[in-house]
Amino acid sequence: MLREDYENKFTTLNQPFEIGTPNKNGRLRLREIDIKNLKTDQLYPHRQVIRFNSTFVEVMDSWEFIRGRATALALPMWAALFFAISMFLFAIYSLYFKQVYWSIAIISCLTIGLVYLVYSNYKMAKYDLFGYTHYPIRFNRKTQKVYAFSPQQQKIIELNWQDLRFSAVQEGRFDIELRASLVNEDNIVEEEIIFPFITKIYGKELVDHHLAFFKAYMQGDDLKSIDAAIPEFFDVYNRKETFKESFERVYMQFDGEEIIQQTRPAERDNGIATVAFPLFSLILLRRLGVYFSKIPQWPTHIEKECQIDSNDPYDSTGKQRHLSPLVFTSAEKLILFLGWFLGTSIFIAFLAGLAYLSWNYR
């Protein structure tokens, strides 16, 4: 996957708002959702709510589901970068005292190539390792505004709820996500927010239920039932997530049942062993991102617009609402360990093979 494709993976900015026609990045709007006729009898916030109160609800965004993958894509290129550096030094050592002109030519070409590799790999992984710990979306029911951190544009988006058009977008072959778009008079998308919940193709009705949660909050009055529909608070406001939280959030992406359910599924997908290596690799990369990234801070004017009443009965600050802990049986732990061990061994053998070939055919 190219860097440009990765950075545009979750956006259709400056492109027509078309239904049934894939855009240049392969994103397909399956249908537009009529917010006016959307029923709110089934609310599906999933496990994405950070804060909840009578003024605003703050949730994660879809970047969470690809956190660590940008760095994972960059790792092979970084390996090639270090290999090129070693060859660069070897070329200098071999040619400097023999043919100075060839040395200068090689040094110049390799320097340009190395600078480009460093820059391109930094651009690919900067949102993961040197960005924000998460990119929240905030819905203010009193001002009827929606605020969002945009990792692609490196800015904060402020939109009016009433101006948004909603659509279900197919991402890849099996995933469907919800998008809110600001469309101009020429039917071009000027701004776009990707909602945090991603469902599978067989659970496509959940996209409507997810949007119903935000419609009920922004346009309804029954905050008690809306609050009751939230299964847990992933409260990472002004703090970094713990290792336990990182593990659960990454694991959720790999379990076909847990990714679309608001509660722990009755049966666990033991096929997880086949992806144990990427699972633990992404956990490691996510932890690196959490360590090096900054906690997002809303601008002062947004915080003023989102002031919470001191006696707000629905203020989730300090409330502990979590699902039951993610517990594995001894057999499941063994399966995960074997999958991780096998994947790691293959990866190490691959690197060792490259090192052997480069040493013997240098």
Side-chain angles (χ1 to χ4, degrees):
M1 185 182 298
L2 298 177
R3 176 185 63 81
E4 181 180 2
D5 180 62
Y6 182 86
E7 291 188 343
N8 291 300
K9 181 179 178 60
F10 286 104
T11 184
T12 52
L13 291 176
N14 303 317
Q15 297 183 48
F17 187 89
E18 298 178 338
I19 305 300
T21 303
N23 68 7
K24 65 178 183 180
N25 297 313
R27 306 285 81 79
L28 172 65
R29 293 187 195 275
L30 298 174
R31 56 192 172 87
E32 183 172 0
I33 303 175
D34 184 1
I35 190 72
K36 294 181 180 180
N37 297 320
L38 183 66
K39 297 181 180 180
T40 57
D41 53 338
Q42 297 186 63
L43 308 181
Y44 207 82
H46 199 244
R47 299 164 54 188
Q48 308 297 337
V49 177
I50 299 173
R51 300 182 72 189
F52 180 84
N53 52 65
S54 301
T55 302
F56 67 87
V57 60
E58 184 170 304
V59 298
M60 301 292 287
D61 82 327
S62 61
W63 190 265
E64 180 191 18
F65 285 91
I66 58 172
R67 189 70 192 246
R69 298 185 186 183
T71 308
L73 289 172
L75 285 178
M77 296 187 183
W78 285 342
L81 172 64
F82 289 121
F83 177 76
I85 290 175
S86 64
M87 294 296 100
F88 172 73
L89 296 175
F90 179 77
I92 294 177
Y93 175 78
S94 301
L95 297 175
Y96 181 76
F97 296 106
K98 298 178 181 180
Q99 301 181 33
V100 176
Y101 295 108
W102 275 109
S103 299
I104 295 175
I106 291 177
I107 290 172
S108 300
C109 293
L110 287 178
T111 299
I112 295 173
L114 290 175
V115 170
Y116 174 76
L117 278 174
V118 171
Y119 174 76
S120 62
N121 284 289
Y122 167 75
K123 289 284 289 184
M124 180 183 289
K126 68 178 181 179
Y127 304 134
D128 271 350
L129 294 181
F130 310 108
Y132 290 112
T133 54
H134 61 289
Y135 297 88
I137 308 172
R138 182 175 287 189
F139 298 79
N140 189 320
R141 68 193 309 269
K142 293 184 178 180
T143 63
Q144 289 293 291
K145 288 186 177 181
V146 183
Y147 318 96
F149 282 77
S150 174
Q152 292 88 356
Q153 302 181 79
Q154 291 291 284
K155 68 176 185 178
I156 294 178
I157 303 172
E158 299 184 39
L159 303 174
N160 295 318
W161 170 262
Q162 299 297 334
D163 296 336
L164 298 176
R165 294 173 64 178
F166 304 92
S167 58
V169 178
Q170 184 170 339
E171 199 285 304
R173 294 180 59 188
F174 305 107
D175 297 336
I176 300 177
E177 59 195 15
L178 175 64
R179 302 190 181 207
S181 308
L182 179 65
V183 184
N184 63 21
E185 296 179 353
D186 297 322
N187 201 42
I188 302 298
V189 177
E190 291 186 343
E191 295 288 0
E192 192 161 65
I193 296 173
I194 316 302
F195 283 67
F197 177 61
I198 297 178
T199 184
K200 299 299 180 182
I201 195 74
Y202 53 81
K204 55 186 178 182
E205 72 282 352
L206 297 180
V207 172
D208 296 67
H209 301 164
H210 188 55
L211 179 57
F213 170 79
F214 296 99
K215 177 186 177 181
Y217 181 79
M218 295 294 281
Q219 300 177 202
D221 297 319
D222 189 5
L223 287 180
K224 184 176 181 179
S225 62
I226 298 173
D227 182 28
I230 302 174
E232 72 172 355
F233 296 127
F234 184 48
D235 186 10
V236 290
Y237 182 76
N238 280 338
R239 72 172 178 88
K240 293 186 176 183
E241 64 187 50
T242 64
F243 180 86
K244 175 178 177 293
E245 289 170 331
S246 295
F247 181 87
E248 292 193 349
R249 304 303 283 191
V250 175
Y251 175 82
M252 181 170 61
Q253 304 172 29
F254 288 90
D255 191 307
E257 294 299 322
E258 185 148 341
I259 194 173
I260 64 170
Q261 293 190 21
Q262 296 198 119
T263 58
R264 297 277 184 228
E267 296 183 2
R268 182 171 288 121
D269 181 9
N270 282 329
I272 195 71
T274 60
V275 291
F277 175 68
L279 166 66
F280 287 105
S281 298
L282 286 180
I283 291 172
L284 174 61
L285 295 175
R286 186 181 178 105
R287 293 307 300 169
L288 288 175
V290 170
Y291 180 80
F292 287 109
S293 296
K294 301 177 295 184
I295 298 173
Q297 300 290 333
W298 294 102
T300 303
H301 75 279
I302 292 181
E303 290 288 18
K304 287 183 178 179
E305 293 179 1
C306 297
Q307 287 185 347
I308 308 170
D309 296 335
S310 58
N311 59 346
D312 188 344
Y314 298 105
D315 185 9
S316 65
T317 305
K319 293 182 180 179
Q320 298 294 318
R321 186 184 300 179
H322 301 287
L323 298 184
S324 56
L326 185 61
V327 179
F328 295 91
T329 65
S330 298
E332 290 168 339
K333 291 178 181 178
L334 178 61
I335 291 173
L336 282 172
F337 173 77
L338 292 176
W340 167 81
F341 180 79
L342 181 61
T344 303
S345 300
I346 293 174
F347 181 68
I348 293 175
F350 173 74
L351 294 180
L354 285 180
Y356 175 81
L357 291 175
S358 62
W359 177 260
N360 285 277
Y361 295 97
R362 68 186 187 277

